[in-house]
Amino acid sequence: MDSVLNQPLRKLARKIRHNARWVLRISWETCPGLISGLTVGKILNSALPAALAWITRGLINAIVDTSQQGLRDLTPIIPWLLYGLALVLANAVLDFITENLNRRLADRMQVHMDMQTLEHATRLDLSWLEDPEFQDIAQRARQNTSGQIISFLTEFFNLFSNSLKIIGIIIVLFAIDPLIVLITLPTVMPYLWFKWRQSRARFTKEFRRATQRRWANYYSSLVSNRRFIPEIKLFRLADLFLDRYRTLISRFIDEDRQLHTLNLLGNFVFALVFSVFFYLLFARVAWLVLEGSLTVGDVAIFAGATKTLRDMLVSLAGHVSRMMESTLFIENLIILLGIQPRITTGAGKIPDPLRGRIEFRNVSFAYPGSRRTVLKNVTFTIEPGEIAALVGKNGAGKSTIVKLLCRLYDPVEGAILLDGVDLREIPLDYLQQQIAVVFQQAAHYEASAADNIALGNWHGLSDRRQVEEIGRLAKVDEMIREMPEGYDTMLGRNFGEYDLSGGQWQRLVLARGLAKQDAALLILDEPTRTLDAEAEFQLFSGFDTIAAGRTTLLISHRFTTINLARQIIVMDRGRVIETGSHQELLDKGGYYASYYELKERHRQLRGRMRQ
C-alpha cells in the first residue's frame, strides 16, 4: 500500500489521470443531464469577466471622450451601460443556476457512491472484514471519500471555468500590453508546483494515519458505547481512554500545524512576488498612457483585470492542487471497490435429492493472515437426519467448523461435502438458504420482536401468523406476549424503550435461527449458554419437533444438550480425537470420559456450595 506514496511523479501523474477519468465516467453515467448543464453554465459564465472588462473599457473611454468634447449627452454612454447591466444580470442568473446544479449533482453522487460502497461491502467475505490490512483500506476509504468525489467534481468545473476566464482576461491584457504573458506563466508555475507538493504531503500523512485513526475511533467509541460504560465507570477507565484519544489527536494536530505554517509561508511569498511584478507592469501601462500609446480606459481595466487575473491564478492553483489531492483520496475508494470476494459462488451443482449428509475430508484451515493452523486433517461424517454434537475446550476449532460449513470461509486443504457434492461447487445462495444457524455471538437487532424472528428468513416469511408459529415452536411466544406491545414491541435502547436480558435475547436468537423451517441443516452453536434451567428444559422438550427431518449439529459444553446427540465428535487443538455415542465414549475412558467426569465433579461442587 505504501507504494502509492513512493511512486515516481510520472507514474503518479498517470494514476491521477486514471482516477480523474474514473470519477468523470461514474459521474456521467450517474448524472449526464446535470453534467451537461454544468458544462454549458460554466462556459457561459467564464466568458463574462473578459466581456465585462471590454464593456468597462468602452464605458470609460466614452465618458472621457464625451467629457473632453464638453458635451452633456448621455447617448454614447447608454449602450455601454445597458451592455453592462445585461452582463451583471446574466452573471447573477448563471450563478444561481450553476449553484442549483452543483447541489443536485452533489446529492446524487453522494447517494450513488454511498450505495455502491455499501453494496460492495455486503459482497465481501468475513475473511476480509477480519483482516487488519483491509480495515486500514476501509478506514482510508471512509475518510469522506464520497465528499472527495464531490470535491473533485466541484474543483474540476471550477478549474474548467477559471481556465476559460483566465484565457479571456489574458487576451484582454495582451491587447493592452503583451508583456503580461511573459510575467504570468513564470510566476504561477512554481506556485502550482508548491500547492501540489502540499496536497501530496497532506494525503501522505492521512494515508499513514489509517491505523492510528482506527485506534482514535476505537477509544472514542469505548467511552460512548453503553456496552462498555459499566466496566469503564467501575474500573475508572475513562481517563485512560480519553488520554490515549487525546494523545493521538494532539499528534495529528501538531503534524498538521507544520503543513499549515508551510502553506502560509508559500502563499505569502507568491502574493509578494506576484504583486511586485504586476505593479511594475501597471506603472509601465501608466507611462504608456502618458505617452499617448494607450487610453485612460486601458489603464482603468488593466488595474482591475490584473487584480482579477492574480486572484484567478491563485484560485486556479488551489483548484488544481485540491483536485489532484481528491484523486489521491479517491484512489482509496478505487482500491476498496477493486477487492473481490474470496468466496465465489459454486459452478451450479445441487445435490439431488437433498438429504443433508455432511462429510469433512481431511480439512485443514488457517485464518487469512495467520500462520496458526486452526484445523488439522479434520475428518468426520454426519448422516442425513442425524443429530451430532461437537465437544471440546474453548479454542478447539468448533466454531471454525460452523463457519466453514456455512461457507463463510473455504478450507485451506481438504473438502467439505454435502450429499457427496463439494460445497465450493454448490451455488452459494442455495447452500446458505439450506442452513438454519444460531451463531455463538448472534446479533441483537434494534427492531420489533416479530422482526427479530423474521430476519432469520426475511424472504421466506410472508405474514405474522408464520412468525408467531415459529415463536411457539421455539418456546418464546409466552415471553413475547408479556412484552408491552407483544410481537410489535420495539427492542433495544437506541430506538425503543424495552430491552431484554441476556437469556431472553438468546431465546429470541434461537427463534430467529429456526425461522428457516425448510432448511436441510440446523446448526446451534452454544444455544443454551445463557439460558436458565427452565428455559433450557422448555427448548429441548420439543427438540424432536425442531430437528425433525434435518441434519443437526450441536456445539455445547452442557451435557444436557450433548446427550441429545446420537454421534459426538470430540475435538482438541484443531483435531478430531474421538467419535461415538455418549455411552461409547464413556466406555473408552478417553478424553471425553475425563471431560465428563470433570463436569460432573464441577456440578456436584456447585450443588454443595448452594447447600
Side-chain angles (χ1 to χ4, degrees):
M1 294 296 295
D2 255 1
S3 60
V4 175
L5 310 178
N6 302 323
Q7 291 172 350
L9 183 60
R10 185 165 53 184
K11 188 173 181 180
L12 193 59
R14 285 200 301 270
K15 186 175 289 294
I16 288 172
R17 288 197 301 272
H18 170 269
N19 294 351
R21 286 196 297 268
W22 183 84
V23 174
L24 293 174
R25 177 178 58 80
I26 293 291
S27 304
W28 177 257
E29 291 173 355
T30 307
C31 319
L34 294 175
I35 296 292
S36 300
L38 271 173
T39 302
V40 173
K42 292 295 184 180
I43 290 174
L44 294 174
N45 188 269
S46 62
L48 296 179
L52 189 60
W54 277 112
I55 291 171
T56 303
R57 176 181 181 276
L59 177 63
I60 292 172
N61 285 337
I63 292 172
V64 171
D65 290 344
T66 303
S67 176
Q68 288 177 346
Q69 294 174 21
L71 301 176
R72 294 182 178 274
D73 184 10
L74 294 178
T75 303
I77 300 172
I78 289 175
W80 294 107
L81 291 173
L82 293 176
Y83 295 152
L85 177 61
L87 280 180
V88 170
L89 291 175
N91 186 54
V93 171
L94 281 172
D95 282 345
F96 291 141
I97 291 174
T98 53
E99 181 182 3
N100 176 266
L101 292 175
N102 263 321
R103 287 180 177 177
R104 289 172 58 193
L105 179 63
D107 290 343
R108 290 279 298 278
M109 289 303 299
Q110 178 81 45
V111 172
H112 177 78
M113 295 314 304
D114 285 350
M115 285 302 301
Q116 190 172 8
T117 304
L118 291 172
E119 287 172 0
H120 184 72
T122 63
R123 290 192 292 268
L124 293 179
D125 315 316
L126 184 61
S127 61
W128 278 116
L129 302 178
E130 293 179 342
D131 187 333
E133 184 178 353
F134 174 83
Q135 292 299 325
D136 283 347
I137 294 172
Q139 171 65 31
R140 296 183 186 111
R142 280 194 298 265
Q143 287 180 319
N144 196 26
T145 307
S146 295
Q148 293 291 349
I149 289 176
I150 294 165
S151 174
F152 170 86
L153 291 172
T154 301
E155 299 300 340
F156 174 80
F157 280 110
N158 287 338
L159 175 65
F160 174 67
S161 178
N162 265 23
S163 299
L164 294 179
K165 289 177 182 179
I166 288 170
I167 291 171
I169 291 292
I170 286 179
I171 290 172
V172 171
L173 293 174
F174 187 83
I176 298 172
D177 188 358
L179 192 61
I180 185 67
V181 178
L182 299 177
I183 295 296
T184 303
L185 292 179
T187 307
V188 76
M189 292 307 291
Y191 183 63
L192 187 59
W193 174 255
F194 168 76
K195 296 296 285 184
W196 156 242
R197 296 290 296 182
Q198 287 291 97
S199 296
R200 189 176 179 184
R202 282 193 295 272
F203 171 76
T204 299
K205 285 190 179 298
E206 285 301 326
F207 188 95
R208 289 176 173 159
R209 283 174 182 170
T211 303
Q212 293 174 319
R213 285 280 186 199
R214 287 200 294 122
W215 274 114
N217 293 340
Y218 174 68
Y219 291 131
S220 172
S221 68
L222 283 179
V223 298
S224 57
N225 189 318
R226 66 188 182 94
R227 288 181 56 197
F228 300 106
I229 289 299
E231 278 200 8
I232 287 174
K233 286 186 175 298
L234 290 174
F235 297 157
R236 302 173 65 185
L237 299 174
D239 290 342
L240 171 65
F241 294 140
L242 287 174
D243 185 61
R244 290 180 179 179
Y245 175 82
R246 188 184 301 109
T247 299
L248 288 169
I249 296 301
S250 298
R251 187 185 307 160
F252 298 158
I253 292 173
D254 291 340
E255 292 172 351
D256 290 342
R257 187 187 299 118
Q258 299 172 8
L259 283 177
H260 297 330
T261 302
L262 185 59
N263 190 53
L264 175 64
L265 291 174
N267 289 337
F268 174 76
V269 170
F270 171 76
L272 180 64
V273 172
F274 205 83
S275 298
V276 168
F277 274 119
F278 270 86
Y279 270 91
L280 289 175
L281 276 177
F282 184 67
R284 168 184 160 81
V285 170
W287 175 255
L288 292 176
V289 172
L290 294 176
E291 283 188 336
S293 302
L294 298 175
T295 65
V296 175
D298 290 331
V299 74
I301 67 165
F302 189 87
T306 51
K307 182 182 183 306
T308 301
L309 180 61
R310 174 191 174 281
D311 293 342
M312 285 184 177
L313 287 173
V314 172
S315 181
L316 178 73
H319 294 323
V320 171
S321 65
R322 286 191 294 271
M323 192 174 75
M324 291 191 293
E325 182 178 351
S326 291
T327 61
L328 292 175
F329 281 100
I330 290 166
E331 173 76 5
N332 295 328
L333 178 60
I334 294 175
I335 290 172
L336 176 65
L337 295 179
I339 293 174
Q340 297 302 313
R342 290 168 172 151
I343 304 293
T344 57
T345 191
K349 282 190 175 183
I350 295 177
D352 186 19
L354 179 62
R355 300 168 59 240
R357 184 177 189 270
I358 300 170
E359 183 180 0
F360 274 60
R361 287 185 185 171
N362 299 315
V363 170
S364 296
F365 178 75
Y367 284 98
S370 173
R371 297 179 181 178
R372 188 173 73 89
T373 301
V374 180
L375 299 179
K376 305 169 188 175
N377 298 319
V378 171
T379 298
F380 62 82
T381 301
I382 305 174
E383 296 299 334
E386 183 179 57
I387 299 176
L390 280 175
V391 177
K393 296 178 181 177
N394 291 333
K398 304 184 299 297
S399 293
T400 301
I401 282 180
V402 172
K403 293 176 182 177
L404 291 173
L405 192 53
C406 295
R407 269 210 87 197
L408 299 176
Y409 296 94
D410 279 335
V412 174
E413 296 177 1
I416 305 170
L417 294 88
L418 177 61
D419 291 332
V421 180
D422 193 315
L423 296 189
R424 289 168 287 202
E425 297 180 4
I426 300 175
L428 191 59
D429 287 344
Y430 174 82
L431 172 67
Q432 293 180 347
Q433 184 60 32
Q434 295 302 319
I435 300 175
V437 62
V438 174
F439 290 107
Q440 188 176 122
Q441 300 294 333
H444 298 171
Y445 293 104
E446 299 278 337
S448 69
D451 282 351
N452 260 282
I453 295 174
L455 287 171
N457 190 10
W458 190 251
H459 301 289
L461 297 177
S462 58
D463 57 41
R464 172 63 63 83
R465 287 176 299 176
Q466 291 177 296
V467 173
E468 292 178 2
E469 177 59 33
I470 293 167
R472 287 189 287 273
L473 180 68
K475 310 294 184 180
V476 295
D477 183 71
E478 182 179 348
M479 178 187 79
I480 293 174
R481 294 192 184 280
E482 290 176 353
M483 296 178 186
E485 297 179 50
Y487 279 86
D488 293 317
T489 304
M490 184 64 65
L491 303 180
R493 291 295 189 183
N494 289 334
F495 304 101
E497 298 179 356
Y498 192 84
D499 207 352
L500 303 179
S501 68
Q504 289 174 317
W505 269 117
Q506 183 67 11
R507 294 173 66 187
L508 203 61
V509 165
L510 278 164
R512 182 164 69 236
L514 300 177
K516 289 183 184 176
Q517 293 178 293
D518 296 330
L521 308 180
L522 175 61
I523 303 173
L524 303 178
D525 190 354
E526 295 288 356
T528 61
R529 63 191 179 91
T530 57
L531 298 186
D532 56 37
E534 181 181 355
E536 183 181 8
F537 174 79
Q538 288 180 350
L539 173 66
F540 289 129
S541 63
F543 193 75
D544 289 343
T545 304
I546 292 172
R550 310 187 199 215
T551 302
T552 304
L553 180 62
L554 299 171
I555 300 175
S556 181
H557 292 284
R558 292 190 178 184
F559 282 93
T560 49
T561 304
I562 296 169
N563 286 340
L564 294 168
R566 176 183 172 187
Q567 178 188 190
I568 299 171
I569 302 163
V570 185
M571 298 191 65
D572 184 40
R573 299 179 184 180
R575 297 179 183 274
V576 174
I577 58 174
E578 292 178 333
T579 60
S581 68
H582 173 69
Q583 191 58 51
E584 288 171 346
L585 293 173
L586 289 180
D587 292 341
K588 284 183 180 178
Y591 182 96
Y592 180 84
S594 300
Y595 187 64
Y596 179 77
E597 183 183 350
L598 178 64
K599 286 286 184 178
E600 278 296 300
R601 286 160 53 193
H602 183 253
R603 184 180 63 81
Q604 293 169 7
L605 177 61
R606 281 188 303 173
R608 288 197 298 270
M609 291 177 66
R610 285 173 184 161
Q611 295 174 359

